[in-house]
Amino acid sequence: MEFKLYNTLTRQKDAFDPIDANNIRMYVCGPTVYDLAHIGNARPVVVFDVLFRLLRHLFGAEHVTYARNITDVDDKINARAAEEGIDIRELTEKTAAQYHSDMSALRALPPTVEPRATDHIAEMHTIIGALIQRGHAYEAEGHVLFHVPSMSEYGQLSRRSVEDMRAGARIDVAPYKKDPMDFVLWKPSKEGEPAWDSPWGAGRPGWHVECSAMAEKHLGTVFDIHGGGIDLVFPHHENEIAQSCGAHATERMANIWMHNGFLQVEGEKMAKSQGNFITVKDLLGKWPGEAIRLALLTTHYRQPIDFTMNGLGEAKSLLDTWYRLTENAPEDAAVSDSVLTALTDDLNTPQAMAALHQLRADAAKGDQKAMGELKASARLLGLLEQSSEDWFAWRPEGFAADDQEIEKLIAARIEARNAKDFATSDRIRDELVAKGVVLMDSKNEETGALETSWSLK
Ligand code: AMP
Ligand code: ZN
């Protein structure tokens, strides 16, 4: 089976050819921990979790190292901590803890390593020192800057011309910069901001060098896959490449660069000012994490995704069906070839979904093999991993009824219906709807009696 991944560096699907099949290495840029994760932040987590699971499946779980960092030093962090009147460490700890709980509710596996920027200051100093020594960086007024014109390959990932980049550089360029594109590796801290001693004065690192240092420490100077959202191609990933390749005189930092498309909500760009800013934490109060995960995977990762409540509803009822159907499925089945073929073609999750639909259709006809394959294949995508009891026991936050009460009301409604007291039966149905319960009536084929099942709205 051919395994291809779209590589932003080559602008084509490249065959995945591991540097060391005993240790596949992947780095994904993680969150800056100053605020709750929004549903857009969840997209790279879920997408690269699928890739992590696929790599583990193909090469063996113990042969894959996945590093996803936590950026815990940043202007936005300093500003937020000051605003809340709390210690920076307190802010980053509580935000990181919430992030972990959100992402695990989306059924993302923890990465193999989760380095924190502030634990890698010495490694950053080493890279900055090497860049100065090789003529790629210079000191100016307490800053150390990367000198972009010193790297002829600069722009290879984003394929931007130097003129475009210069035009895009900020208008008021700091006077100590030799070139408007030069970017910060180290800078002095302002009063009250965290500061570390360095050969260039007390200060703190620039954002890009953090990832270069953490990736090198945990994955080596050249590794297999580097990922993140499409917004990170320029300048963040371009600068990571310049730093890592400049410091080590290597040709590549990672062989394959992968980027997920952006997420918007109900057709609109998500923004606090639009009032459509959805945090993962809030959404998890209204929908099961697994349904959110499935909704994210119905669009191919490189396409923009329009996240809708409708889509979430569909994802949830699909999972209801799959869980019901595979309740007694054999546990030892293999992942279906059709799903593997889809995923090894640049993580084609919509095609994998189509394959799962086919398996479901076959399983519904009583095909035991299809039933087992449906479960095993869905699990490769991080779905159907719960027991069906746990899946069906999920309730939205603030759900105001317990199962027994619902059953009692349903029985009372059937009684009223049988007595042709439609006013009462309608009143009970409305009462249940108000609690978020939807009723489905059917007639027993043999007795003709009314039967009612229920589900959540
Ligand atoms: P940040 O904390 O802003 O650095 O973002 C963390 C990750 O989320 C990065 O990989 C971003 O590219 C990604 N990201 C941020 N917003 C969105 C969005 N609306 N859609 C998809 N990915 C996003
Ligand atoms: Zn990064």
Side-chain angles (χ1 to χ4, degrees):
M1 194 171 295
E2 211 181 8
F3 182 15
K4 285 187 165 181
L5 293 169
Y6 184 86
N7 189 353
T8 307
L9 204 54
T10 58
R11 299 290 196 273
Q12 63 180 24
K13 287 185 201 173
D14 284 342
F16 180 68
D17 182 18
I19 298 168
D20 172 4
N22 283 316
N23 188 16
I24 315 284
R25 287 158 291 155
M26 169 163 85
Y27 186 91
V28 174
C29 294
T32 304
V33 284
Y34 69 100
D35 204 351
L36 294 172
H38 59 65
I39 184 65
N41 300 133
R43 191 175 193 197
V45 174
V46 169
V47 163
F48 290 103
D49 180 64
V50 170
L51 180 54
F52 183 36
R53 288 168 183 265
L54 178 64
L55 291 168
R56 287 158 62 100
H57 179 80
L58 296 174
F59 296 93
E62 65 286 11
H63 298 308
V64 185
T65 307
Y66 172 23
R68 187 186 65 212
N69 72 289
I70 287 189
T71 297
D72 59 354
V73 44
D74 184 86
D75 286 339
K76 289 188 286 263
I77 294 175
N78 300 335
R80 179 61 61 90
E83 225 173 272
E84 290 190 17
I86 56 173
D87 195 64
I88 285 168
R89 187 85 198 178
E90 193 183 330
L91 174 69
T92 59
E93 289 292 334
K94 86 171 176 189
T95 313
Q98 184 64 48
Y99 184 80
H100 287 145
S101 127
D102 290 349
M103 297 311 141
S104 107
L106 298 181
R107 312 205 63 82
L109 301 172
T112 323
V113 270
E114 194 175 47
R116 281 169 189 252
T118 53
D119 292 333
H120 296 75
I121 302 288
E123 288 82 354
M124 296 175 207
H125 289 167
T126 308
I127 291 181
I128 296 170
L131 287 172
I132 294 175
Q133 210 208 340
R134 289 181 186 272
H136 290 303
Y138 59 95
E139 243 187 294
E141 298 183 23
H143 294 68
V144 183
L145 294 150
F146 187 96
H147 191 43
V148 168
S150 74
M151 290 283 286
S152 56
E153 303 83 1
Y154 191 83
Q156 57 176 307
L157 182 70
S158 55
R159 301 212 179 162
R160 290 183 180 218
S161 73
V162 173
E163 294 93 88
D164 283 355
M165 289 190 280
R166 286 221 172 89
R170 249 184 265 139
I171 312 292
D172 57 325
V173 177
Y176 48 79
K177 280 194 184 180
K178 288 188 189 167
D179 188 282
M181 288 191 303
D182 292 354
F183 58 88
V184 167
L185 298 170
W186 191 259
K187 62 179 176 184
S189 300
K190 296 195 194 87
E191 187 71 30
E193 286 179 352
W196 290 264
D197 281 334
S198 89
W200 316 284
R204 58 199 188 83
W207 170 36
H208 315 301
V209 78
E210 297 174 10
C211 281
S212 281
M214 290 184 271
E216 181 189 337
K217 168 89 182 277
H218 299 281
L219 306 180
T221 51
V222 188
F223 50 93
D224 297 290
I225 299 170
H226 193 313
I230 189 83
D231 57 320
L232 299 182
V233 172
F234 186 86
H236 185 53
H237 288 168
E238 196 73 73
N239 291 352
E240 280 189 38
I241 294 175
Q243 295 160 158
S244 296
C245 295
H248 307 298
T250 43
E251 241 171 63
R252 289 207 167 163
M253 178 184 188
N255 284 338
I256 296 195
W257 288 77
M258 294 176 65
H259 297 96
N260 64 271
F262 249 46
L263 173 146
Q264 52 174 23
V265 173
E266 311 280 357
E268 307 265 347
K269 183 175 184 246
M270 183 170 51
K272 283 213 168 108
S273 55
Q274 295 266 357
N276 65 353
F277 193 84
I278 307 178
T279 65
V280 175
K281 183 171 183 277
D282 275 355
L283 204 58
L284 282 170
K286 302 186 177 82
W287 297 94
E290 199 172 329
I292 301 173
R293 179 183 180 94
L294 177 55
L296 288 170
L297 292 176
T298 48
T299 302
H300 187 262
Y301 78 92
R302 280 194 285 127
Q303 300 300 319
I305 185 172
D306 188 26
F307 198 76
T308 64
M309 294 311 124
N310 231 347
L312 275 171
E314 281 167 20
K316 185 175 171 299
S317 31
L318 197 56
L319 286 166
D320 283 343
T321 315
W322 289 354
Y323 267 110
R324 218 168 270 131
L325 193 62
T326 58
E327 240 162 17
N328 301 311
E331 287 287 335
D332 54 354
V335 173
S336 91
D337 280 346
S338 52
V339 169
L340 266 186
T341 302
L343 293 180
T344 50
D345 178 16
D346 190 32
L347 239 47
N348 193 336
T349 54
Q351 197 188 314
M353 280 324 151
L356 292 176
H357 285 303
Q358 185 57 50
L359 288 170
R360 187 201 68 107
D362 296 343
K365 289 182 209 138
D367 181 340
Q368 286 289 314
K369 180 163 176 272
M371 206 179 275
E373 284 188 352
L374 172 60
K375 194 174 207 168
S377 309
R379 283 181 170 178
L380 180 59
L381 288 160
L383 305 166
L384 301 192
E385 289 181 319
Q386 309 181 56
S387 68
S388 84
E389 292 79 58
D390 285 350
W391 167 257
F392 286 110
W394 180 88
R395 298 287 177 269
E397 220 167 74
F399 184 70
D402 64 34
D403 291 10
Q404 272 177 345
E405 187 189 346
I406 294 168
E407 299 290 351
K408 233 161 81 190
L409 284 168
I410 288 175
R413 176 170 169 268
I414 290 178
E415 207 171 293
R417 285 269 300 248
N418 289 342
K420 305 225 172 332
D421 178 0
F422 296 113
T424 304
S425 84
D426 286 353
R427 184 184 50 72
I428 297 175
R429 192 200 51 220
D430 292 347
E431 193 181 324
L432 284 163
V433 167
K435 290 179 193 290
V437 174
V438 193
L439 301 181
M440 280 153 301
D441 291 328
S442 58
K443 253 202 179 107
N444 185 300
E445 277 182 14
E446 279 161 32
T447 63
L450 177 68
E451 286 176 349
T452 301
S453 63
W454 65 276
S455 65
L456 298 173
K457 197 156 54 183

